[in-house]
Amino acid sequence: MKITRYGEPCPLCRTPLLLDVLQVRSAQSDFPTTERVTGRRCPGCRTTRPAQWKKVMRSHCSDA
């Protein structure tokens, strides 16, 4: 199941990042067994400063 939640602040503007999270549930439990962040988004910086956004996120997060 894919969900979106707020994460740590954006390194450029300090707005909370939106995290795209993949939750894996087992057949035996109603609760998620593993979670993996599949993407990080900042509504402002990603669209207004795309080159700077990519550079900062590459150095800030190894999986972005």
Side-chain angles (χ1 to χ4, degrees):
M1 172 160 75
K2 294 181 184 179
I3 64 167
T4 302
R5 68 168 68 141
Y6 287 106
E8 66 272 2
C10 173
L12 297 174
C13 69
R14 311 311 285 168
T15 302
L17 293 174
L18 295 173
L19 303 176
D20 297 325
V21 179
L22 178 66
Q23 292 183 333
V24 179
R25 298 175 187 264
S26 71
Q28 293 83 19
S29 173
D30 291 336
F31 298 104
T33 56
T34 59
E35 290 187 348
R36 189 177 78 197
V37 176
T38 58
R40 293 175 171 85
R41 297 179 278 137
C42 176
C45 294
R46 190 172 183 183
T47 56
T48 59
R49 302 182 274 183
Q52 190 177 11
W53 166 259
K54 287 179 185 178
K55 183 179 178 183
V56 168
M57 290 310 289
R58 235 181 251 127
S59 65
H60 185 69
C61 304
S62 61
D63 61 348

